[in-house]
Amino acid sequence: MQTEQYMQLALNQAYLAASSAEVPIGAVVISPEGQVIGQAYNRVEELHSQVGHAEMLALQQAGQSVGDWRLAGCAIYVTLEPCAMCMSAILLSRVSKLVFATTSTIYGYRVDKQINFALYNCPIVVQEGVLEEESLTVLRAFFKTCRSMDGC
């Protein structure tokens, strides 16, 4: 599979989130061999927990899949730039590559310039902008609907 195909899998998860009245963010974790070992969508509302982010759930599933919390050589594809909590988990998991569709100007990990991820000493390749328009479309549609119902 190619990068865009993996991101499409993450977008499929985002659509599941939207259909569950969750912020439409999806994530997939890919093994070094190219297999999907974790996939999830936001379930914050359903789980009543701030750790119900797509990335956190996908990382947990991937760890269970391989029997180890260390995910060296793996890649994670996310439809929105991870928040600081999720980025910390990604780095602690030793994921080798992060690919996200679009930036988050409110909660993205790069918003807080005081956060120093050098502590983790885990090199990671970051790629952004893969299927950006598709990700923005689903996010905008969700928030437009949500705001029109005074639910956000």
Side-chain angles (χ1 to χ4, degrees), residues 32-61:
E33 297 77 33
Q35 300 300 311
V36 175
I37 58 172
Q39 59 184 344
Y41 57 86
N42 265 10
R43 294 176 54 207
V44 173
E45 301 298 334
E46 175 191 342
L47 299 174
H48 308 290
S49 174
Q50 55 278 53
V51 296
H53 288 199
E55 300 94 323
M56 301 295 280
L57 298 172
L59 289 169
Q60 183 179 29
Q61 190 180 87

Side-chain angles (χ1 to χ4, degrees), residues 3 8-11 17 21 23 49 66 70 82 85 94 98 102 112 116 132 137-138 144 151:
T3 298
Q8 186 60 58
L9 295 175
L11 274 166
V23 175
S49 174
V66 300
R70 295 168 195 89
M85 174 184 69
R94 298 184 174 65
L98 162 65
T102 190
D112 188 346
N116 184 353
E132 180 175 21
T137 298
V138 69
K144 182 178 180 180

Side-chain angles (χ1 to χ4, degrees), residues 9 24 50 52 68 72 77 90-91 96-97 100 104 118 151:
L9 295 175
Q50 55 278 53
D68 196 345
Y77 291 75
I90 289 166
L91 292 169
S96 300
K97 185 176 183 180
F100 61 89
S104 176

Side-chain angles (χ1 to χ4, degrees), residues 4 6 8 38 48 59 101 107 109 113 126 128 140:
E4 289 170 355
Y6 291 130
Q8 186 60 58
H48 308 290
L59 289 169
Y107 297 111
Y109 74 92
K113 304 298 183 206
V126 178
E128 65 180 87
R140 287 176 180 146

Side-chain angles (χ1 to χ4, degrees), residues 129-141:
V130 177
L131 299 184
E132 180 175 21
E133 285 305 314
E134 291 88 336
S135 181
L136 283 170
T137 298
V138 69
L139 283 163
R140 287 176 180 146

